[in-house]
Amino acid sequence: MKLLLIGFGTVGQGLAELLIDKENILKDKYGMTVQVVGIADMLKGSVYNPGGVDLAQALKRAKGGEMIPGPAGGFDGDALAMIKQAKADMMVEATYTDIKTGEPATSHIRAALEKGMHVTTTNKGPTALFLYELEQLAAKEGVEFLYEGTVMSGTPLLNLARETLAGCRITEAKGILNGTTNYILTRMEEGLSYEVALAKAQELGYAEAVPDADVLGWDALAKVTIIANAIFGKKSTPEDFPCKGITEITAEAIAEAKSRGKRFKLIGKVWRDGDQIKASVGPEEIDLSHPLAGIMGATNAVTLTTDILGDVTIVGPGAGRTETGYSTLVDIIHVGGKR
Amino acid sequence: MKLLLIGFGTVGQGLAELLIDKENILKDKYGMTVQVVGIADMLKGSVYNPGGVDLAQALKRAKGGEMIPGPAGGFDGDALAMIKQAKADMMVEATYTDIKTGEPATSHIRAALEKGMHVTTTNKGPTALFLYELEQLAAKEGVEFLYEGTVMSGTPLLNLARETLAGCRITEAKGILNGTTNYILTRMEEGLSYEVALAKAQELGYAEAVPDADVLGWDALAKVTIIANAIFGKKSTPEDFPCKGITEITAEAIAEAKSRGKRFKLIGKVWRDGDQIKASVGPEEIDLSHPLAGIMGATNAVTLTTDILGDVTIVGPGAGRTETGYSTLVDIIHVGGKR
């Protein structure tokens, strides 16, 4: 299988490392030989080699702050040009997320699908905004469009809901979808103020300098929208659902809730209300006996309520270089691995 | 797809109800028409009809304490004779578990596989004792041998580990695999003595009159052995691993552990120790901050430790008529459903 890696930041590099580490397992267990034929990154340049890019060298250059292309050069970092001209079986879209426009990722994905390439992405822009359209396009072209890593990074929530729980009717998905805010709430319960807890999250690299996407709930909202579309078949965009972050929760409110056996969590949820699908993001007081109450720090978790099994909860990492890179590897195995 | 149901107790009846309830979903979503052509049960008799058994009628008779066969009769309850003579694509083995001999289930499974039938079972006897042999036989015959329901009933632990976490190396599986003992420990923490908590579990139908299989850890041990074989590739039987139950845990010990921020759980685990695979069942004091500590009542949970994702935990029901019946439905969809 020939791959294009579009975006060579943490996720793309995480996948590249896994492709090197797991080469033998991919061959022995899944009968796959995966070859990266092109890498394009806005900042790091691009390299294209139909015979296979030297991944170790590209990783070394990228980590050293160098441009990726060796003397052979590439497409001058023009991802779209590479997608249109390259011969590849699958594209990994891992550029930055723009949740307002979904670009440039959406254009990359459209171009790849139209060429008959399978696509996996970790990008919440195209998936929260245009999932239905992109899935229709993939179906028309007879290829797969996969996006396991957009929710809970490598923790396989979407595959669990759609494949492993085959035959179940899911009536609610409810969980902790943003590790940064969960970390902040955990530290606030230990006695830190919001400001200090946020600063700690920034120090650890969990929160960005402008933390709005996390603390105002937008990141969780994008994931909720993807769940609504992917698991509940609700054609929707983030604007369709109410969203509230954690900025108004005080240390006093957290302590007061604790005294009543409750714990604040930023909860994203999607549920059936009669024939309607509803969704929201906002802080909720969770009973300490609920599995979600025990999810502390940067961990994510989602409880799926089903007709047959009642509640099934999955707990795992919600972010991380290797973890998110792994989600694309699972999608690659899904497409190309023998069963 | 033509099915044989061998064993028509809670699991077989649970599946029969699901096949009726989910008929449309199976057709629309998975492109499957599932027809039960034979049912055999030691106590309730048997019915065989190549054109399809009337499932609703069989369910009604079984629930009313009647023999299953209508005037057309069957094989006089002789499951093995039916398996050998019937024309079917897949067999569901759901007779009672004999953890010492694995019979009669193992003979049923061998006969079906040898005839080229796919098999799904919820029976811990054959799977804990003869998994390797049965998987070899299935591979030789070119058919599937599936057993999702033997561990955590319908909660898809085995599929999660083997398919949804494709490419991960699992270094440990550790969890609460027996709902009855977890219920008893939960009630003891609330102040009940072991004897009273056991009586409550018996009242609720969680524990049997002779509760040894649960409280001495044997049920958890069978599941641990299946995990060792299925996920870790360790050719083993229950006798290979140490096993201790909960009968020596006192209410005082539970209270004392609680005062130190710990909680007793009956833990089954399998782990890699260098090149070796080890496994055990026994009570452990779990830190209250661990996801397994919050699993109360009859719920089951397993934490998988992986090289790529760190810990991934799945929480769900570990028993139940519909839940266990569902596990066989997932296996049936796995074999016959379009992707």
Side-chain angles (χ1 to χ4, degrees):
Chain A
M1 173 178 281
K2 289 177 189 294
L3 277 193
L4 292 186
L5 304 190
I6 307 301
F8 202 56
T10 54
V11 176
Q13 292 178 35
L15 171 61
E17 287 161 1
L18 285 170
L19 288 174
I20 294 171
D21 289 353
K22 298 279 181 182
E23 188 182 352
N24 290 333
I25 289 180
L26 288 172
K27 197 177 291 177
D28 298 345
K29 197 161 171 194
Y30 301 101
M32 296 178 75
T33 307
V34 179
Q35 192 179 45
V36 174
V37 295
I39 302 175
D41 186 278
M42 259 180 67
L43 303 173
K44 302 182 189 78
S46 63
V47 56
Y48 179 69
N49 184 344
V53 167
D54 183 337
L55 268 189
Q57 195 190 51
L59 274 170
K60 200 175 149 194
R61 284 176 182 268
K63 284 180 188 171
E66 288 179 78
M67 299 294 279
I68 304 166
F75 282 83
D76 293 331
D78 184 345
L80 209 52
M82 188 191 286
I83 296 165
K84 287 183 176 166
Q85 292 171 56
K87 283 205 170 109
D89 304 303
M90 187 160 186
M91 177 183 80
V92 180
E93 217 299 334
T95 63
Y96 64 95
T97 288
D98 179 333
I99 198 65
K100 298 284 173 212
T101 68
E103 291 299 349
T106 306
S107 295
H108 297 160
I109 294 170
R110 279 200 196 104
L113 293 174
E114 280 166 1
K115 273 196 70 178
M117 278 185 221
H118 305 288
V119 171
T120 167
T121 187
T122 56
N123 198 312
K124 290 181 286 288
T127 39
L129 294 169
F130 305 111
L131 188 60
Y132 183 76
E133 178 209 321
L134 295 171
E135 290 199 318
Q136 293 284 103
L137 178 57
K140 183 177 150 242
E141 301 289 343
V143 293
E144 299 264 8
F145 174 55
L146 302 169
Y147 44 89
E148 178 61 63
T150 55
V151 184
M152 289 183 87
S153 75
T155 309
L157 172 70
L158 299 177
N159 281 330
L160 179 75
R162 298 199 292 179
E163 302 202 10
T164 317
L165 292 177
C168 272
R169 179 177 160 89
I170 296 172
T171 51
E172 184 179 70
K174 171 177 172 169
I176 295 164
L177 293 164
N178 180 274
T180 309
T181 47
N182 203 53
Y183 174 83
I184 293 172
L185 292 174
T186 298
R187 298 306 304 265
M188 286 174 75
E189 190 176 319
E190 292 165 17
L192 301 189
S193 68
Y194 171 76
E195 289 73 20
V196 175
L198 172 59
K200 293 270 177 202
Q202 286 168 325
E203 262 173 48
L204 287 165
Y206 293 159
E208 294 178 47
V210 179
D212 293 5
D214 289 322
V215 300
L216 296 179
W218 303 341
D219 174 72
L221 178 64
K223 293 163 178 169
V224 154
T225 308
I226 294 166
I227 292 171
N229 279 278
I231 302 180
F232 291 83
K234 165 83 174 168
K235 230 169 120 176
S236 52
T237 63
E239 292 178 349
D240 296 337
F241 306 124
C243 177
K244 202 172 169 191
I246 64 162
T247 50
E248 290 169 28
I249 303 177
T250 61
E252 292 71 38
I254 288 174
E256 197 271 329
K258 198 177 176 184
S259 72
R260 285 183 285 109
K262 303 276 188 180
R263 178 174 282 152
F264 273 104
K265 292 291 181 190
L266 184 65
I267 295 293
K269 60 185 179 185
V270 184
W271 70 98
R272 295 184 194 276
D273 182 7
D275 284 347
Q276 290 199 299
I277 308 291
K278 299 194 173 172
S280 68
V281 170
E284 288 188 20
E285 291 184 9
I286 299 289
D287 203 279
L288 282 178
S289 67
H290 192 280
L292 293 178
I295 307 304
M296 305 304 270
T299 305
N300 282 195
V302 169
T303 297
L304 300 170
T305 303
T306 70
D307 58 345
I308 303 175
L309 294 175
D311 285 358
V312 175
T313 300
I314 186 164
V315 184
R321 173 193 186 89
T322 313
E323 292 83 349
T324 312
Y326 169 69
S327 71
T328 64
L329 183 65
V330 170
D331 287 346
I332 291 166
I333 293 172
H334 182 94
V335 166
K338 68 173 164 58
R339 307 253 172 175
Chain B
M1 174 180 280
K2 289 178 189 293
L3 279 193
L4 291 186
L5 304 190
I6 307 302
F8 203 56
T10 54
V11 176
Q13 291 179 36
L15 172 62
E17 286 161 2
L18 284 172
L19 288 174
I20 294 171
D21 289 351
K22 298 279 181 181
E23 188 182 352
N24 290 334
I25 288 181
L26 289 172
K27 196 176 292 174
D28 298 344
K29 196 161 170 193
Y30 302 100
M32 296 177 74
T33 307
V34 180
Q35 192 179 45
V36 174
V37 295
I39 303 175
D41 186 279
M42 262 178 67
L43 303 173
K44 302 182 188 77
S46 63
V47 56
Y48 179 69
N49 184 342
V53 168
D54 183 337
L55 270 189
Q57 194 190 53
L59 274 170
K60 199 175 152 195
R61 284 176 183 269
K63 285 180 187 170
E66 288 179 77
M67 300 294 278
I68 303 165
F75 283 82
D76 293 332
D78 184 345
L80 210 51
M82 187 190 286
I83 295 165
K84 286 181 177 167
Q85 291 172 57
K87 283 208 170 104
D89 304 302
M90 189 160 184
M91 176 184 82
V92 180
E93 217 297 338
T95 62
Y96 65 94
T97 288
D98 180 332
I99 198 63
K100 299 284 174 212
T101 68
E103 292 298 349
T106 306
S107 295
H108 296 161
I109 294 171
R110 280 201 196 102
L113 293 174
E114 280 165 2
K115 273 197 70 178
M117 277 185 221
H118 305 287
V119 171
T120 168
T121 187
T122 56
N123 197 312
K124 290 180 286 288
T127 41
L129 295 168
F130 306 110
L131 188 59
Y132 183 77
E133 178 209 320
L134 295 172
E135 289 200 318
Q136 294 283 104
L137 178 56
K140 183 178 151 243
E141 301 290 344
V143 293
E144 300 263 9
F145 174 55
L146 301 169
Y147 44 88
E148 178 61 64
T150 55
V151 184
M152 290 183 85
S153 75
T155 309
L157 172 71
L158 299 177
N159 281 330
L160 179 74
R162 298 198 293 181
E163 302 201 11
T164 317
L165 292 178
C168 272
R169 179 176 160 90
I170 294 172
T171 52
E172 184 179 71
K174 171 177 173 169
I176 295 164
L177 293 164
N178 180 273
T180 309
T181 48
N182 203 52
Y183 174 84
I184 292 172
L185 291 175
T186 298
R187 299 304 306 263
M188 285 174 76
E189 191 176 319
E190 293 164 15
L192 300 189
S193 68
Y194 171 76
E195 289 72 20
V196 175
L198 172 60
K200 294 270 177 201
Q202 286 167 325
E203 262 174 49
L204 286 165
Y206 294 158
E208 293 177 50
V210 180
D212 293 4
D214 289 321
V215 299
L216 296 178
W218 303 341
D219 174 73
L221 179 64
K223 292 165 179 168
V224 154
T225 308
I226 294 166
I227 291 172
N229 279 277
I231 302 181
F232 292 82
K234 165 83 174 169
K235 231 169 119 174
S236 52
T237 63
E239 291 178 351
D240 297 335
F241 306 123
C243 176
K244 201 172 170 189
I246 63 163
T247 49
E248 290 169 28
I249 303 176
T250 61
E252 292 71 37
I254 288 173
E256 197 271 328
K258 197 178 178 184
S259 71
R260 288 182 285 109
K262 303 275 189 182
R263 179 173 282 151
F264 273 104
K265 292 292 181 190
L266 184 65
I267 296 294
K269 60 185 178 186
V270 185
W271 70 99
R272 295 183 193 275
D273 183 6
D275 284 349
Q276 289 198 298
I277 308 291
K278 298 192 172 172
S280 69
V281 170
E284 289 187 20
E285 292 185 9
I286 299 289
D287 201 278
L288 282 178
S289 67
H290 192 280
L292 293 178
I295 308 304
M296 305 304 272
T299 305
N300 281 196
V302 170
T303 297
L304 299 170
T305 303
T306 71
D307 58 346
I308 303 176
L309 294 175
D311 285 359
V312 174
T313 301
I314 186 163
V315 184
R321 172 194 186 92
T322 313
E323 292 83 349
T324 312
Y326 169 69
S327 71
T328 63
L329 182 64
V330 169
D331 287 345
I332 292 166
I333 292 173
H334 182 95
V335 166
K338 69 172 163 60
R339 307 252 173 176

